[in-house]
Amino acid sequence: MTASVKIEIAEDTILVGIGASPGIAIARSHLVNRARINAIERRIAPEEVPAEIEAFEEALEASKRQLQEVKEQVPQQGLSEHLYIIDTHLLILEDHMLVDDTKTLIGSELVNAQGALARNLKRLRQIFDSISDEYIRERRSDIDSVGDRVMRNLVGEVRENLQDVAGPVLVVAHDLSPADTVQMDKGKIIGFVTDVGSWTAHTAILARSLGIPAVVGLETATSMIPNDLPMIIDGNAGTVILKPSDETFREYLRKKKRFDYLEKKLEAFRSLSAETKDGHHIALRANIDLGEKIAGAIEQGAEGIGLFRTEFLFMSADGPPAEDWQFDTYRQAVEMVAPHPVTIRTLDVGGDKFVPEFNLADEVNPVMGLRAVRFSLKEVGLFRTQLRAILRASAFGKARVMFPMVSGVGEMRACRQFLDNVKRELRQEGIAFDEQIPVGVMIETPSAVLIADLLAKEADFFSVGTNDLIQYCLAIDRGNEHVAYLYEPMHPAVLRALKQVCQAAEAAGIEVGMCGEMAGEQLYCLVLIALGFRDLSMNASNISRLKRIMRQVSLQEVQQILDRILVLPTATEVSSALEAEMLQRFPELFGSLEI
Ligand code: PEP
Ligand code: MG
């Protein structure tokens, strides 16, 4: 257990963190010691170097064996799509930055294996900490859990196996690795809370996929919560209630019943089409970052993939992935989702998305710097390889290619020209591809909005990336918590921008979709349909909710809602009007969980 003095807990003490996985769980706490091992660094003599390197190699081997064992358990738990997490950990165990650099340190600094590993892990963590993109920064937790495992094997410490926990309990831990999470038996561990973590960490992703309520980022959970304490996890609100009174207990039992009932009911919508009452179909697709996520997305009712963020392939591989490897990944994706399409976005690196291998120059203002297509058009070797792989995959299903962060017609033409050259190459080589592969442009900059009519002549479809468009439109850094309150999707400027894009697409007769986070928000979906979006791509877990909403409205009704909010002058007024409207129409989805 974590060595700390527990303070007396008052009835109904509330801790606030981040709701990482929705749902309510009520049980007693079970503290799990996942504290990091403290390495003891020791100077060694030159003749000790081989023995320390050998000890390190044995620890790596033991770690591999353990992960292989975890991997074998994964499919039995119905989580085979998450095998990639274990595979990622296995890959990290072979990464030269971990393996070779630690061995080098043992010899060059004459320190024991524990000391060298600790130093190297510290360096790797610093590299990840310097990245401002939340998703990528969270990949640091993968390095942490692999590093911890190797260190434990070096030191010879045995951990409590979460499968041996006698349930039902609520696990309380400083941190949990994805490997811990996939091993959880839902019958025994019915919820968990951690001191650290965020919404995008793999542990949170897995918790959502397993349907285990979780609250992370509580900071003080392990120092405040004693073992065997009655508690409640509210993953919807991101709160934990310690020592609930009888009244609170009954209140949460009611909330839990209500939530579980609603989720079950929503499952029935997965297989239905997202169609308005008057027969307008909206394609609800999934955003993915790794091919392994596709099976889960299809299960949740996604009609294909609306955004394949390919930069993550470049981060998980050792160096830029080869053409054949990319081709296999894209081909599998198009084959899996057939007859629906997969929209493959070319590399969106730079800005806040950092790939160490690319040695991007330090930029004063990277979000406005050499990112996305600007980078691809400079690093033409990488661009060519990726386009060849995408085109080759297009022969096996419905692939669409899309360019990110285009800010002008010239850039779009340069991308298309490049694509045409690659097509010519493939033709000469006699390699099959879809000659008619649709080519899309992401609308993510204010300039792209203002010239949407001109860009529409250069593209087969638009996909609005609101995550970036909102930040550039409102001049609000999407990753800066100090201005997060100004990041307003319902800002009249954003609504006008979206309207302009939809009108330009309609006038040119091209499709317009959205793949920013806004597309999956239940509050906004009717506004988006009214604006003209017919293709929304999102985190797949939102799909059944949106289907449920869309099937209950007609286009005429949503048009009236839009007309009412478009005249409001502030985001607050728009949001309030919209919330009132949605609550009235869908009390079950927008109301509190009280019965
Ligand atoms: C966006 O900007 O909305 C988008 C989908 O791209 P990303 O979040 O990857 O920048
Ligand atoms: Mg973007």
Side-chain angles (χ1 to χ4, degrees), residues 267-273 299-301 547:
E267 271 179 27
F269 286 85
R270 289 180 176 180
S271 55
L272 301 180
S273 149
E299 199 186 315
Q300 310 248 38
K547 286 185 174 174

Side-chain angles (χ1 to χ4, degrees), residues 307 309 345 348 353 442 444 465-468 478 515-516:
L307 170 63
R309 287 184 163 101
R345 176 175 77 180
D348 183 9
K353 289 183 199 160
M442 281 194 80
E444 300 185 277
T466 44
N467 305 340
D468 275 316
R478 70 193 250 194
C515 61

Side-chain angles (χ1 to χ4, degrees), residues 554-588:
S554 70
L555 220 47
Q556 196 192 355
E557 287 169 70
V558 299
Q559 201 57 57
Q560 285 164 359
I561 299 176
L562 180 67
D563 291 344
R564 277 202 298 279
I565 64 161
L566 275 184
V567 294
L568 298 173
T570 66
T572 312
E573 285 163 88
V574 174
S575 298
S576 305
L578 203 51
E579 271 158 17
E581 177 76 43
M582 296 302 266
L583 178 61
Q584 191 217 328
R585 284 173 181 270
F586 308 98
E588 200 178 40

Side-chain angles (χ1 to χ4, degrees), residues 133 287 307 309 311-312 345 348 352-353 371 402 404-405 442-444 463-472 478 487 514-518 537:
D133 182 274
N287 290 353
L307 170 63
R309 287 184 163 101
E311 49 278 9
F312 293 94
R345 176 175 77 180
D348 183 9
D352 55 356
K353 289 183 199 160
R371 59 171 295 196
M402 173 162 88
M405 275 285 295
M442 281 194 80
I443 305 290
E444 300 185 277
S463 184
V464 184
T466 44
N467 305 340
D468 275 316
L469 182 60
I470 295 172
Q471 82 163 341
Y472 293 125
R478 70 193 250 194
Y487 192 90
M514 179 181 282
C515 61
E517 288 305 299
M518 191 177 171
S537 193

Side-chain angles (χ1 to χ4, degrees), residues 452-566:
D453 57 331
L454 304 177
L455 277 173
K457 296 191 182 115
E458 313 286 329
D460 301 314
F461 65 94
F462 282 164
S463 184
V464 184
T466 44
N467 305 340
D468 275 316
L469 182 60
I470 295 172
Q471 82 163 341
Y472 293 125
C473 219
L474 303 182
I476 304 300
D477 178 350
R478 70 193 250 194
N480 181 341
E481 66 275 17
H482 304 299
V483 288
Y485 71 101
L486 288 172
Y487 192 90
E488 297 171 315
M490 286 294 111
H491 192 295
V494 176
L495 290 174
R496 287 182 189 191
L498 296 178
K499 191 172 172 202
Q500 190 170 334
V501 173
C502 288
Q503 284 173 341
E506 195 190 345
I510 66 167
E511 280 177 37
V512 59
M514 179 181 282
C515 61
E517 288 305 299
M518 191 177 171
E521 283 291 328
Q522 60 172 8
L523 182 61
Y524 308 139
C525 64
L526 297 187
V527 174
L528 301 183
I529 309 178
L531 282 166
F533 289 97
R534 293 289 174 270
D535 186 325
L536 300 174
S537 193
M538 64 200 69
N539 179 327
S541 62
N542 294 329
I543 287 176
S544 49
R545 256 168 207 276
L546 263 56
K547 286 185 174 174
R548 155 92 167 71
I549 293 173
M550 289 168 182
R551 292 176 63 87
Q552 211 174 308
V553 293
S554 70
L555 220 47
Q556 196 192 355
E557 287 169 70
V558 299
Q559 201 57 57
Q560 285 164 359
I561 299 176
L562 180 67
D563 291 344
R564 277 202 298 279
I565 64 161
L566 275 184

